[in-house]
């Protein structure tokens, strides 16, 4: 046992605040964010609600092998819900298999969720402006400028019980209504698509998205480095040079906010 004086305890508390700049003093319990590669993340809320976003795992060249085994997403570590921004395989590939295996709810756009043929109790189809409450998390469905079949593409804002919010942009270009996402939800953490190439906004445009519309405490870039033609980590670092809110993760890494 190490004894600490009250002064050193206070110094440790101050150090902890600087170590986790996204967390305010009143936030006792953390948000866990694990990058599974590409646009796939596992989020665990302060109350322990486990959510899986865009589970492209078994076919994902950047997902560590230990995270590709779908058995990991059932039983004691099953997600309460699987959130899918849009229908493309690099976001949706393993969603139905995980929901079927684990009993998790499946949240996405109404038409696509209905097309999966899951039991009604698991099929949470919605649309832009809609919300679902999963444990201690409210999931807000927001627009993304992309494509999806059937239905339309989405982003997600997760609102936690302590008032903090996390925005997963999905695949998108910058669009003016991002100002409304900031006005309504003021995201603290942004999981930001930066991959460029033929399908989504580039790192430079993603930097403009942040500078023009948002004031997050943490930015986690995603949807890069997975395939040839997408931006690299070096491209992302160059575009965000000088922005200390950027957290370049490695697939499998977990951050705590
Ligand atoms: Zn994509």
């Amino acid at each position: 046992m190490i004894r600490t004086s009250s002064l050193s305890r206070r110094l440790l508390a101050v150090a902890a605040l600087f170590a986790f700049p996204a967390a305010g003093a009143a936030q006792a319990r953390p948000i866990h964010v694990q990058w599974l590669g590409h646009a796939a993340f596992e989020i665990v809320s302060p109350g322990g609600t486990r959510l899986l976003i865009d589970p492209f795992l078994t076919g994902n060249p950047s997902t560590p092998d230990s995270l590709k085994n779908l058995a990991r997403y059932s039983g004691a570590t099953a997600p309460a819900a699987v959130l899918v921004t849009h229908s493309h395989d690099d976001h949706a590939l393993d969603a139905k298999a995980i929901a079927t295996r684990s009993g998790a709810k499946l949240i996405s756009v109404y038409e696509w969720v209905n097309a999966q043929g899951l039991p009604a109790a698991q099929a949470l189809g919605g649309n832009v402006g809609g919300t679902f409450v999963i444990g201690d998390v409210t999931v807000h469905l927001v627009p993304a400028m992309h494509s999806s079949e059937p239905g339309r593409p989405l982003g997600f804002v997760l609102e936690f019980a302590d008032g903090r919010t996390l925005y997963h942009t999905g695949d998108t270009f910058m669009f003016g209504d991002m100002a409304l996402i900031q006005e309504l939800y003021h995201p603290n953490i942004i999981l930001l698509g930066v991959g460029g190439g033929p399908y989504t906004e580039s790192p430079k445009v993603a930097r403009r998205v942040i500078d023009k519309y948002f004031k997050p405490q943490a930015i986690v870039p995603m949807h890069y480095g997975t395939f040839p033609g997408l931006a690299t980590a070096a491209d992302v670092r160059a575009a965000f040079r000088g922005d200390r809110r950027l957290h370049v993760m490695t697939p499998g890494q977990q951050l705590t906010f």
Side-chain angles (χ1 to χ4, degrees):
M1 177 74 76
I2 299 170
R3 292 191 56 186
T4 50
S5 70
S6 108
L7 174 60
S8 61
R9 274 198 300 275
R10 263 177 274 153
L11 289 172
L12 284 172
V14 169
L17 279 179
F18 281 105
F20 301 103
Q27 289 143 3
R29 292 191 292 179
I31 300 164
H32 297 285
V33 175
Q34 185 176 26
W35 191 30
L36 308 179
H38 205 55
F41 288 87
E42 186 175 69
I43 312 292
V44 182
S45 76
T49 302
R50 193 177 294 269
L51 300 172
L52 203 53
I53 306 178
D54 281 1
F56 165 52
L57 306 169
T58 56
N60 186 340
S62 66
T63 301
D65 285 344
S66 63
L67 300 174
K68 289 186 178 188
N69 182 353
L70 299 190
R72 182 182 179 275
Y73 309 97
S74 60
T77 51
V82 179
L83 284 54
V84 176
T85 58
H86 63 290
S87 65
H88 301 157
D89 273 354
D90 65 316
H91 298 258
L93 183 70
D94 299 308
K96 183 181 178 184
I98 291 169
T100 300
R101 180 189 275 266
S102 66
K105 316 263 191 215
L106 183 63
I107 297 178
S108 188
V109 75
Y110 176 84
E111 293 84 355
W112 183 82
V113 169
N114 280 0
Q116 303 310 304
L118 289 169
Q122 282 178 265
L124 302 189
N127 214 322
V128 171
T131 59
F132 294 102
V133 176
I134 304 292
D136 63 334
V137 183
T138 301
V139 179
H140 299 275
L141 279 51
V142 299
M145 186 182 286
H146 197 67
S147 61
S148 188
E149 181 67 32
R152 57 153 299 149
L154 299 171
F156 295 110
V157 175
L158 311 186
E159 183 178 352
F160 301 100
D162 62 12
R164 288 185 291 166
T165 51
L166 176 151
Y167 171 33
H168 184 296
T169 63
D171 280 3
T172 191
F173 180 59
M174 72 190 302
F175 54 94
D177 284 353
M178 285 174 164
L180 299 176
I181 295 173
Q182 170 65 21
E183 182 181 331
L184 290 170
Y185 307 118
H186 42 80
N188 300 98
I189 304 163
I190 299 186
L191 312 182
L192 180 68
V194 300
Y199 302 117
T200 66
E201 66 198 9
S202 67
K204 283 184 180 161
V205 173
R207 172 84 191 248
R208 287 290 300 276
V209 162
I210 295 296
D211 290 347
K212 188 171 177 67
Y213 293 116
F214 295 106
K215 294 182 170 58
Q217 285 82 56
I219 303 160
V220 176
M222 63 163 177
H223 206 277
Y224 69 91
T226 320
F227 301 110
L230 294 184
T232 65
D235 298 331
V236 176
R237 289 183 195 280
F240 282 83
R241 185 165 292 132
D243 193 330
R244 298 182 65 181
R245 300 168 299 178
L246 187 75
H247 297 266
V248 175
M249 298 179 77
T250 53
Q253 186 184 353
Q254 178 173 282
L255 289 178
T256 299
F257 298 99

